[in-house]
Amino acid sequence: MLPLDQPKDAIILDKIPSEKDSENPFFENPSLEVSKEKTKQFEGDEARSLRTYCAGLEEQADEAIARNRLEEAIIYLNKARLAIEDACPSDNLTLAKLYEKLGRVNYESEKYDEAFSHHSKSYEIRLKRFQDEHNEPVSDSLNELGLVMHLQGRIDEALQNFQKSLDIRQLVAGEFSIKVADSYNNLGNVHFDQGELEKAYESHNKCYNIYLKCLAPNDLRIALSLNNIGRVLEEQEKYEVSATYYLKSLQLYATQGQEEDLDVADCHENVGRVFQKQGNLAEAYESYKKSLGIKKKVCGATDVRVGLWLNSIGGILLEDGAPEEALGVFEESLEIAKINYGEESVQSAACYGCLGDVFSELEDYEVAEENYLEGIKILTVIGSKNAEGKENLIELMMQLARLLQKQGKNLRASLMLQDALRIGKEIYDEEHPRILGIIERL
């Protein structure tokens, strides 16, 4: 699910430093430190020069953001921040805005601790300056903090910040405002992650209805809201209704010529997942193929996300009785896993397990066993370091045991299951379903 309250600041493209810029005493290369002596001169009549200097740095940051050069953007923004900190009072609202922008860029860079620190400083400045929480900038800071906390796994704290932000926005702007709708969306995402599906549906539905009143009918935020409602309904196992919301979302994207966008890819993926749960494997396969095609174009053929969805497509083909087609899909996925994670990784081991399943279906048992054993060898090393590796190792051992039993090699199968049980007892209690399943197989 997607947060809808991360507005992009105005982006100025093609702002490349010129020779004139380099002669300007306020222009500096972003790789250099800001000169404290220089910024201390920005007083009185030179305040205008400070504003010009910082505005230029922000423009260069915006250009870097537009080109997805986030580290470079952070350098420019930090230079502007240091200049303002040196010349202005600590409760300067421009400084608060810069901290907010730094928080957003770090959020997009998945540097959540840094993002939280910057948004906290922005919140503190605004609270100090306004001396009251009941204003829009403070509500924005609370919302930004909620977004970061959500991804940090601090679900309860995120919920509190989103709710407080919503309360302020309702008081300041009334119920029918875009930011109120954004708050409902973010609350819906948290409720979804908590398993509170009725609350999630209610929040996302409120968001959707406000968007319908406040936005143009072809605004893509409506498409995202439809997709989020569909996800809740899918989790509630209301598959037919869920599919209608996903398809409405896709139709809206199509009207805007957005057929090759990652959000569209996710929507096709969601439709495919619903079809798969309904047992409509042919339709699921077509939806997954559309999603995969978009991801390859947008992200590149060896991107991690492409590998994940190759596995999904391979699983459908295998389930639908087409192991020959699944073989090429899983082989491609394995190569992507090796590129992104290395040979000795959980992801590569999982691909070997999938290939073992394919060769088992093709009744090429010798090659199937080779693939299972390759995955087991990798996970034996990884499993000595973490529980995730052990969980995946147990699964592969059980897959190999099934193959051996299929061939009547019951003694080897029994030994494999005993090894799986021994490892399982290291991470599960005696009544865990996985332990009970292994005992039953034995």
Side-chain angles (χ1 to χ4, degrees), residues 296-344:
K296 281 187 173 181
K297 285 185 178 180
V298 175
C299 305
T302 60
D303 187 83
V304 169
R305 289 162 289 190
V306 172
L308 290 173
W309 285 102
L310 282 168
N311 282 343
S312 296
I313 291 173
I316 288 176
L317 290 168
L318 200 55
E319 190 178 350
D320 203 28
E324 295 90 350
E325 295 177 55
L327 176 59
V329 172
F330 285 129
E331 287 176 337
E332 185 179 352
S333 179
L334 174 60
E335 290 308 308
I336 293 173
K338 288 179 180 179
I339 290 168
N340 287 284
Y341 301 106
E343 172 74 25
E344 293 188 357

Side-chain angles (χ1 to χ4, degrees), residues 182-290:
D182 294 340
S183 287
Y184 278 127
N185 172 80
N186 295 332
L187 280 168
N189 290 343
V190 173
H191 289 313
F192 182 88
D193 285 350
Q194 289 178 319
E196 298 278 357
L197 299 181
E198 290 298 332
K199 290 182 180 179
Y201 177 79
E202 181 182 356
S203 293
H204 282 305
N205 207 42
K206 285 180 179 178
C207 171
Y208 173 66
N209 286 324
I210 295 173
Y211 280 162
L212 286 181
K213 288 181 180 291
C214 298
L215 298 173
N218 58 355
D219 192 292
L220 294 182
R221 281 172 285 187
I222 296 173
L224 288 171
S225 187
L226 285 165
N227 193 64
N228 285 344
I229 294 172
R231 186 73 181 94
V232 176
L233 291 166
E234 179 191 343
E235 196 69 16
Q236 292 176 320
E237 299 184 0
K238 299 175 182 177
Y239 298 133
E240 288 187 16
V241 186
S242 172
T244 63
Y245 276 91
Y246 288 146
L247 291 170
K248 282 182 184 178
S249 181
L250 281 171
Q251 289 168 3
L252 189 49
Y253 279 115
T255 64
Q256 297 300 296
Q258 297 285 326
E259 290 91 343
E260 293 185 358
D261 181 274
L262 284 178
D263 290 331
V264 178
D266 289 340
C267 212
H268 280 300
E269 176 185 312
N270 292 340
V271 172
R273 192 173 54 248
V274 169
F275 283 143
Q276 187 175 6
K277 289 176 179 178
Q278 290 177 310
N280 299 326
L281 299 182
E283 292 91 340
Y285 176 63
E286 289 304 315
S287 292
Y288 281 142
K289 270 209 315 185
K290 289 176 183 176

